[in-house]
Amino acid sequence: MYWAMVGIGVVCVTIMGAMGVAAVTREWVPPRGRRLVLRPRLWGAGALMSAVGLSLFMFLGPLAADRSAVNFYIPPAGMAVNMAGLGLQTLARRPGRTPRLPPASTTAVS
């Protein structure tokens, strides 16, 4: 059962990281989220952060091979990185700032 959970965790984190790399380099977002994501590179950076944080949490925390060597600070830090990545993915669904245009001149230039 342990190796099945590790295998599923590796597959999920790898897919999440691959989607993040695809979004950062090619601006590709999975079909389910294409209408919602306005800034795909930011979404990809968030997916990469989430993949790193989730792997730190899983493989150095609950799924660690050597339970005696588990550091009690790394898994919560990994979960914090995961939550920061999810926050970036949420921000990617909002429009970015647009530069303000100067006011139009009211006098005609001849």
Side-chain angles (χ1 to χ4, degrees), residues 16 45-57 73-89:
M16 188 184 307
L48 284 173
M49 277 183 69
S50 291
V52 168
L54 196 58
S55 63
L56 283 175
F57 172 74
Y73 298 109
I74 293 178
M79 189 52 69
V81 171
N82 182 22
M83 291 299 156
L86 292 175
L88 279 180
Q89 286 179 322

Side-chain angles (χ1 to χ4, degrees), residues 60-81:
L60 297 177
L63 297 179
D66 185 15
R67 298 293 295 167
S68 63
V70 172
N71 189 343
F72 292 107
Y73 298 109
I74 293 178
M79 189 52 69
V81 171

Side-chain angles (χ1 to χ4, degrees), residues 6-87:
V6 169
I8 291 171
V10 167
V11 167
C12 290
V13 168
T14 303
I15 290 172
M16 188 184 307
M19 285 191 307
V21 168
V24 169
T25 58
R26 304 278 183 189
E27 294 187 0
W28 180 85
V29 179
R32 187 171 186 148
R34 280 190 192 143
R35 288 185 300 141
L36 300 174
V37 175
L38 300 175
R39 296 184 280 176
R41 290 185 188 222
L42 183 63
W43 185 87
L48 284 173
M49 277 183 69
S50 291
V52 168
L54 196 58
S55 63
L56 283 175
F57 172 74
M58 282 192 311
F59 302 122
L60 297 177
L63 297 179
D66 185 15
R67 298 293 295 167
S68 63
V70 172
N71 189 343
F72 292 107
Y73 298 109
I74 293 178
M79 189 52 69
V81 171
N82 182 22
M83 291 299 156
L86 292 175

